[in-house]
Amino acid sequence: MSIITILGAGVMGSAMTLPARDRGHEVHLVGTHLDRAIIDSIRSTGRHPKLNVKLPDGIAACHAEELSGALETADLVILGVSSAGIGWAIERLCETLTRPIPVVMITKGMHPEPDRLICLPDHVTAEVRRRCGLSLTVAAIGGPCIAGELAVRRQTGTVITARAPDFAQALCAMFETDYYHPRPSPDVEGVEICAAFKNFFAIGVGWAAGHLEMMAATENRAFNHNAAAILFDQAIREMMVLAQGHGGTAQSVWGMPGAGDLYVTCQAGRNSRLGNNLGRGLTYSAVRNGPMKGDTIEGAELGVSVAATLRSMIAAGKLEAAALPLTTALLDALTRDAALDIPWAAFHRS
Amino acid sequence: MSIITILGAGVMGSAMTLPARDRGHEVHLVGTHLDRAIIDSIRSTGRHPKLNVKLPDGIAACHAEELSGALETADLVILGVSSAGIGWAIERLCETLTRPIPVVMITKGMHPEPDRLICLPDHVTAEVRRRCGLSLTVAAIGGPCIAGELAVRRQTGTVITARAPDFAQALCAMFETDYYHPRPSPDVEGVEICAAFKNFFAIGVGWAAGHLEMMAATENRAFNHNAAAILFDQAIREMMVLAQGHGGTAQSVWGMPGAGDLYVTCQAGRNSRLGNNLGRGLTYSAVRNGPMKGDTIEGAELGVSVAATLRSMIAAGKLEAAALPLTTALLDALTRDAALDIPWAAFHRS
């Protein structure tokens, strides 16, 4: 039995309480300043209002200002804030930690530096060391996991990645249940590139179903699945270029973190819906001001945040332009408000 | 401009008339003895009754007995019969061919020998040489292509594989249009294992949606997408073991022929529907005698035909048992009428 503090009471952080409690761990779920209503609800009724389920018994639900107490005896921190909240989380950890506690991240994203993308475990490790001198061991979870399904104990497979194989293995052993199946991986860069970019590429795959609505109906009522499959294939090819360009391996890309997670991300969700809308011929700004006003679209936010870095890596020859036609088209759609025209003939060429 | 004879007027053979005619080739579409009504319909109205579209103008539609004339000046044969019709097609070719004509196969399947599976291009080459002494050059097309979509010129990507790179390249150049994008590959075994087995594994992925119907509904209306993603991932892992065990490459498996085609196959179709029914708890015999009576289910037929060979390869250590838990469960469901119990804990282990 371990003592686990989850920082961030959003859907994914909170869903981790299921395998954690089912394996008998002591769980402190600490909300951010944005999670006050969630924490109050869990305290009073046990229910998580966004997951729309009653969480397991025995969770200590805490407000942000109670983080310090929740960390006092913790063996492990699960970092479950949103991508946008990572700076806030680093600040809180630096204020609060008095000793290094191992961290496992479920936050997805890449930290852009001018000449390369840094995966979040490395970013958190470096920032915490720089600011408060503590050396954290940071792992991350990738792979296909819809929080609402984990929260009702649906079969779920993930990959837990850490540079130290023993740490990844220990984390898997700590959370494995008969419905939650984490597998260890040493490929931090590959898993993290996939975790972030599967959302981005799901926008591309979503184009096909949206574009179908703009095409004249045919007598045989043909769908546009062949086109979606080309886009899915090209997404895997380009995730491989991006992963390998950052030191990741092919196996993460064709495995659970890449192809597996892209598969589930294309079944539903906001990234797909943005893609549908771009397929209908709307520009990204028109979608944001219209049908998806106010929505957080993770893949689009990622694209906007990494566009300058990726373009400069391509210009410097660190990433091959001819190998990234879908990436380029998506970046242009997200940052230059270009129509998303799919460059079919450029696919599968390099 | 080339002269192309398509043998088999089913949906896929007939859909190939679109890129063939759009590229200006002369096309002879020859039905099998089962295609008489299709050929008559094309002759009288131009319409293909199963594709439910009017085929391009200028196709010479021929009955089976007219094959000889259609082959007289042909530069290329497209072999478009069903898996079950491959023996019939070999017989017709041996009766009719007076010189070797290059062949490209769209027929999918594997020919089982006691100790390994032979891909159909090799089987056709060997049988024609044995029976009539002609040395054919045989290529094959794999990748995600729903015939009804190609037949209305939806964007479609495929892989054309041949041992001779020049031949694969020439075939791609012959059929490439602004909607049909074939890409060459030298990996005949890998492409053909994927072309055949993606149907088989789509049965496994389909389990998840069917099983969802058997589970108690949850307050948050959770789906079973996480489970489908584990199955999708495991399918890719096991296709890789099967492809590499027969001399194929990883790239075909994570590319268009494997992951791409599995993606499209999981969106709809009979293989998925069989999987849905197995997920509901029916046995294969119950499905065949009930909700899918009379349906041809390609992935199930493949599984039945290759089961003995795969089991003997596993027993002989040519394929690793621990790496094929989904394959084993599917074979048991198809040939021993076992319930399809998904061995979650055995996945992603080797």
Side-chain angles (χ1 to χ4, degrees), chain A residues 6 17 24 26 101-102 123 130 137 144 165 174 178 188 196 201 233 237 256 298 302-304 334 348:
Chain A
I6 302 172
T17 62
E26 181 177 323
I101 304 176
H123 175 60
R130 186 176 70 78
T137 309
M174 200 167 161
D178 59 357
V188 178
F201 285 114
D233 172 67
R237 297 177 74 83
M256 199 90 90
E298 284 183 283
L302 177 87
V304 169
L334 294 170
H348 211 307

Side-chain angles (χ1 to χ4, degrees), chain B residues 176-245:
Chain B
E176 169 106 39
T177 69
D178 60 358
Y179 60 88
Y180 188 68
H181 310 282
R183 296 288 182 266
S185 163
D187 180 22
V188 178
E189 283 83 3
V191 171
E192 290 296 276
I193 285 274
C194 291
F197 277 91
K198 59 96 176 25
N199 289 320
F200 174 79
F201 286 113
I203 300 170
V205 179
W207 180 96
H211 195 69
L212 177 64
E213 298 170 21
M214 307 305 293
M215 302 166 87
T218 61
E219 288 174 285
N220 71 349
R221 301 185 186 187
F223 288 102
N224 212 16
H225 293 317
N226 290 356
I230 305 180
L231 290 160
F232 186 86
D233 171 66
Q234 189 65 24
I236 293 175
R237 297 176 73 84
E238 299 195 17
M239 272 202 286
M240 201 157 285
V241 172
L242 295 172
Q244 291 181 334

Side-chain angles (χ1 to χ4, degrees), chain A residues 201-224:
Chain A
F201 285 114
I203 299 169
V205 179
W207 180 96
H211 195 70
L212 176 64
E213 298 171 20
M214 307 306 293
M215 302 166 88
T218 61
E219 288 173 284
N220 70 350
R221 299 186 187 186
F223 290 103
N224 212 16

Side-chain angles (χ1 to χ4, degrees), chain A residues 263-277:
Chain A
Y263 179 79
V264 90
T265 307
C266 291
Q267 303 307 303
R270 290 174 186 164
N271 298 293
S272 292
R273 288 221 311 281
L274 170 56
N276 299 160
N277 280 306

Side-chain angles (χ1 to χ4, degrees), chain B residues 120-131:
Chain B
L120 291 187
D122 288 352
H123 175 60
V124 169
T125 305
E127 282 296 295
V128 170
R129 185 181 296 127
R130 187 176 68 78
R131 296 194 201 182

